[in-house]
Every structure is written in structure tokens, then in C-alpha cells.
Amino acid sequence: MDESYNNVASTSHLLGSVPAVVGEEKKTTNFEVPEANLQIFPPANGGGSSRQGYQTLGSPIEGFEQQPANNWNGVFSISSYTQYFNVDTDVVVTRLLSSLYPGAGDFFSKIEANPDLYGLIWISTTLVFVLASLGNCATYLIQRRADSTTSWTFNVSYVNVAAIAIYGYAIVVPLAYYFLFHYMGTTASLVRFWCMWGYSLSVFVLSSVLLLIPVEFLRWVIILLAGAVSSSFVGLNLRTCVVGNDLTILVVAAFFLQMALAIFIKVWFFP
């Protein structure tokens, strides 16, 4: 037996022989990925922080989250008002016709989805130049009719008075009514008020042309009719805002304010 054992042991080193497998522990290598530390450039100069320099992506920049949102930014941004000029010719013409036929009293429902400030600015500016130019023409016609030899000069002050009166009325009166309605506990929209009062002035543009007729009695009839149309338009539409509230005095006051504007136009520009 010893002989056979020795033969096996002696042939264990020959080619093709398989040595005995020695149990070894399997060695595995573990690679640890370092934690990503993204940083923001430029580095924040953190006031009062002991850690200066770069900030990690997950950490907020000091003082940034504490800044309150500025609610007045939109007031001074032109883009905030572009929506109020997004109207086409058909819409403007429809609203102009509604202001000349005030009986329906549904102007607010027509502008509910898209109130505009285009009518306010365009009609007010047109009325300023119409009153200044036609007022001077009316004065010239009256002077020529009374005495053809009298010299006549253009009264530039008509432009200043018309601008102050029309722009002031179209902006201040709706603004005052807006605050009054809110003070009385009634919901109101300043943009809708400006829109309505702006279109209410359109009838005065048409009546100014007719006021060139050098007949005093006919002039008064024209301006009073124009004032009645404009006053009715404002009063009837304001009435829809005060349903259920005892604010009739404000509606009546608006009616007489429009009549007062009509009389002012006649007395000052077409004497």
C-alpha cells in the first residue's frame, strides 16, 4: 500500500494534474462612491455665517428665502396692462354703440370677460383735441358773424383746459366711485368703472361737431341731449351694481355729474 501511495504522490506534479484545492476566503473589493457635493457659483457672502465661500446645492442662500414678495411690482410693469388693450375694432365699435343707446343698461355684462382701457384713453384724447379745435372754430364763426372786421387768434388755453378737465374727470370720478362703493360694502371693479366712464364720453365727441352751428338755442338743445344720453348710460349701468343696496344717492350723483360736464363743455368751449 505504501508503494501505491508513493506512486500517486510522485505523479501529482506531472502536466495535466490538478492540485488539491486549498480553501481560501473569497476576497471582495468594495468601492465607496464619494457623496456628490454640487456647489453654486458665485459664492454667497453669508452675513453672520461662519461658513464662507461656496454654497452647496441643497442649502438655501442666506437671506434669500426671507425676502418678501413685492406686490407692487405689477403696478409699475407695462406687461400688466397689455390685457386691457387686447381689443379689436369690432369690440370697440360695439361698445361705442352701446354707449349711444343707454336704455339696455347691460354694459357691464358686455365687458365682464374683457374690460378695456383703450376706450378710456382713445376717447378722452380725441375729445380733448376736438374740444380745443372746434371750440376755437366756434369762437371764430361767432366773431365773424358779429363783426367780419374783427381779428381772431387761436386760443391755446383751450388745449390745457380740455386736457385737465377731461382727463381729470375720466380718471378721478371713477376712482372716487370705486372707493365709495367699497366703503359702502359693495363689490366694484376699478377697471370696469374706467371702461364705462371712458365710453360715456363718446357722445360728446359727436355733439361737439354739431355745436359749430351758430344758433345758441340749438346749441343748448344739442348739449343737453348729449348730456342726457351720457348721464343715462352711466346711471343705468351703475344701478346694476347697487341692486339690494341703498346706494341710489350715488347713482343720482353720477347722473348729475355727467350733466355738469356737458354744461361745462358748452359754457367754456362753445360760449
Coordinates of all heavy atoms in Angstrom, one line a residue, residues 13 26 50 72 74 91 115 122 137 143 149 167 177 179 187 200 205 210 256-257 268:
H13 N 2.9 16.0 -9.6 CA 3.5 17.2 -10.2 C 3.5 17.1 -11.7 O 4.0 18.0 -12.4 CB 4.9 17.3 -9.7 CG 5.8 16.2 -10.2 ND1 5.8 15.0 -9.6 CD2 6.7 16.2 -11.2 CE1 6.7 14.2 -10.2 NE2 7.3 15.0 -11.2
K26 N -12.8 34.1 0.0 CA -13.0 35.0 -1.2 C -12.9 36.4 -0.8 O -13.6 36.9 0.0 CB -14.4 34.7 -1.8 CG -14.6 35.5 -3.1 CD -16.0 35.2 -3.7 CE -16.1 33.8 -4.1 NZ -17.4 33.5 -4.8
S50 N -20.5 81.4 9.8 CA -19.1 81.1 10.0 C -18.6 80.4 8.8 O -17.4 80.3 8.5 CB -19.0 80.1 11.2 OG -19.8 79.0 11.0
W72 N -46.2 95.3 -5.4 CA -46.3 96.5 -6.2 C -45.6 96.4 -7.5 O -45.6 97.3 -8.3 CB -45.9 97.7 -5.4 CG -46.8 98.1 -4.3 CD1 -46.7 97.7 -3.0 CD2 -48.0 98.9 -4.4 NE1 -47.8 98.2 -2.3 CE2 -48.6 99.0 -3.1 CE3 -48.6 99.6 -5.5 CZ2 -49.7 99.7 -2.9 CZ3 -49.7 100.3 -5.2 CH2 -50.3 100.3 -3.9
G74 N -46.2 94.6 -10.1 CA -47.1 94.6 -11.3 C -47.7 96.0 -11.6 O -48.0 96.2 -12.7
V91 N -65.0 95.0 -31.4 CA -65.4 95.1 -30.0 C -65.5 96.6 -29.6 O -66.5 97.0 -28.9 CB -64.3 94.4 -29.1 CG1 -64.6 94.7 -27.6 CG2 -64.3 92.9 -29.4
P115 N -62.8 93.8 -19.9 CA -62.8 95.2 -19.8 C -61.6 95.9 -20.4 O -60.5 95.3 -20.3 CB -63.0 95.5 -18.3 CG -62.3 94.3 -17.7 CD -62.6 93.1 -18.6
W122 N -58.4 106.5 -25.7 CA -58.6 106.9 -27.0 C -59.7 108.0 -27.1 O -59.6 109.0 -27.7 CB -58.9 105.8 -27.9 CG -59.3 106.1 -29.3 CD1 -58.6 106.8 -30.2 CD2 -60.6 105.9 -29.9 NE1 -59.3 106.9 -31.4 CE2 -60.6 106.4 -31.2 CE3 -61.8 105.3 -29.5 CZ2 -61.6 106.4 -32.1 CZ3 -62.9 105.2 -30.3 CH2 -62.8 105.8 -31.6
C137 N -62.9 127.1 -33.5 CA -63.6 127.3 -34.7 C -65.0 128.0 -34.4 O -65.4 128.9 -35.1 CB -63.8 126.0 -35.4 SG -62.3 125.3 -36.2
Q143 N -67.5 135.3 -34.0 CA -66.9 136.6 -34.1 C -67.1 137.1 -35.6 O -67.3 138.3 -35.8 CB -65.4 136.6 -33.7 CG -65.2 136.4 -32.2 CD -63.7 136.5 -31.9 OE1 -62.9 136.8 -32.7 NE2 -63.4 136.3 -30.6
T149 N -64.9 142.3 -39.5 CA -63.6 143.0 -39.5 C -62.7 142.7 -38.2 O -61.6 143.2 -38.1 CB -63.8 144.6 -39.6 OG1 -64.6 145.0 -38.4 CG2 -64.5 144.9 -40.9
Y167 N -59.3 114.6 -18.8 CA -58.5 113.5 -18.2 C -58.8 113.4 -16.7 O -58.9 112.3 -16.2 CB -57.0 113.8 -18.5 CG -56.6 113.5 -19.9 CD1 -55.8 114.4 -20.6 CD2 -56.9 112.3 -20.5 CE1 -55.3 114.2 -21.9 CE2 -56.5 112.1 -21.8 CZ -55.7 113.0 -22.5 OH -55.3 112.7 -23.8
Y177 N -65.7 106.8 -7.2 CA -66.8 105.9 -7.0 C -66.3 104.5 -6.6 O -67.0 103.7 -5.9 CB -67.6 105.8 -8.3 CG -68.8 106.8 -8.3 CD1 -68.6 108.1 -8.6 CD2 -70.0 106.3 -8.1 CE1 -69.6 109.0 -8.5 CE2 -71.1 107.2 -8.0 CZ -70.9 108.5 -8.3 OH -72.0 109.4 -8.2
F179 N -63.8 103.7 -4.6 CA -63.6 103.7 -3.2 C -64.9 103.9 -2.4 O -65.1 103.3 -1.3 CB -62.6 104.9 -2.8 CG -61.2 104.5 -3.2 CD1 -60.5 105.3 -4.1 CD2 -60.5 103.5 -2.5 CE1 -59.2 105.0 -4.5 CE2 -59.2 103.2 -2.9 CZ -58.5 103.9 -3.8
T187 N -69.2 95.4 -3.9 CA -68.1 94.9 -4.7 C -68.1 95.8 -6.0 O -69.1 96.0 -6.7 CB -68.2 93.5 -5.1 OG1 -68.3 92.7 -3.9 CG2 -67.0 93.0 -5.9
S200 N -68.6 106.6 -22.0 CA -69.7 107.5 -21.8 C -69.4 108.9 -22.4 O -70.2 109.7 -22.6 CB -70.0 107.7 -20.3 OG -69.0 108.4 -19.6
V205 N -68.1 113.7 -28.3 CA -67.3 113.9 -29.5 C -68.2 114.3 -30.7 O -67.9 115.2 -31.5 CB -66.4 112.7 -29.8 CG1 -65.6 112.9 -31.1 CG2 -65.4 112.4 -28.6
L210 N -71.7 119.2 -33.9 CA -73.0 119.9 -34.1 C -73.0 121.2 -33.4 O -73.8 122.1 -33.8 CB -74.1 119.0 -33.6 CG -74.3 117.7 -34.3 CD1 -75.4 116.9 -33.6 CD2 -74.5 117.9 -35.8
F256 N -76.0 113.5 -12.3 CA -75.8 115.0 -12.4 C -74.4 115.4 -12.6 O -74.1 116.5 -13.2 CB -76.3 115.6 -11.0 CG -77.8 115.7 -10.9 CD1 -78.5 114.8 -10.2 CD2 -78.5 116.6 -11.7 CE1 -79.9 114.9 -10.1 CE2 -79.9 116.7 -11.6 CZ -80.6 115.8 -10.8
L257 N -73.4 114.6 -12.3 CA -72.0 114.9 -12.6 C -71.8 114.8 -14.2 O -71.1 115.7 -14.7 CB -71.1 113.8 -12.0 CG -70.7 114.1 -10.5 CD1 -69.9 112.9 -10.0 CD2 -70.0 115.4 -10.3
W268 N -67.8 126.7 -21.6 CA -66.4 127.1 -21.7 C -65.9 127.0 -23.1 O -65.2 127.9 -23.6 CB -65.5 126.1 -20.8 CG -64.1 126.6 -20.8 CD1 -63.1 126.2 -21.6 CD2 -63.5 127.5 -19.8 NE1 -61.9 126.8 -21.3 CE2 -62.2 127.6 -20.1 CE3 -64.0 128.2 -18.7 CZ2 -61.3 128.4 -19.4 CZ3 -63.2 129.0 -18.0 CH2 -61.8 129.1 -18.3

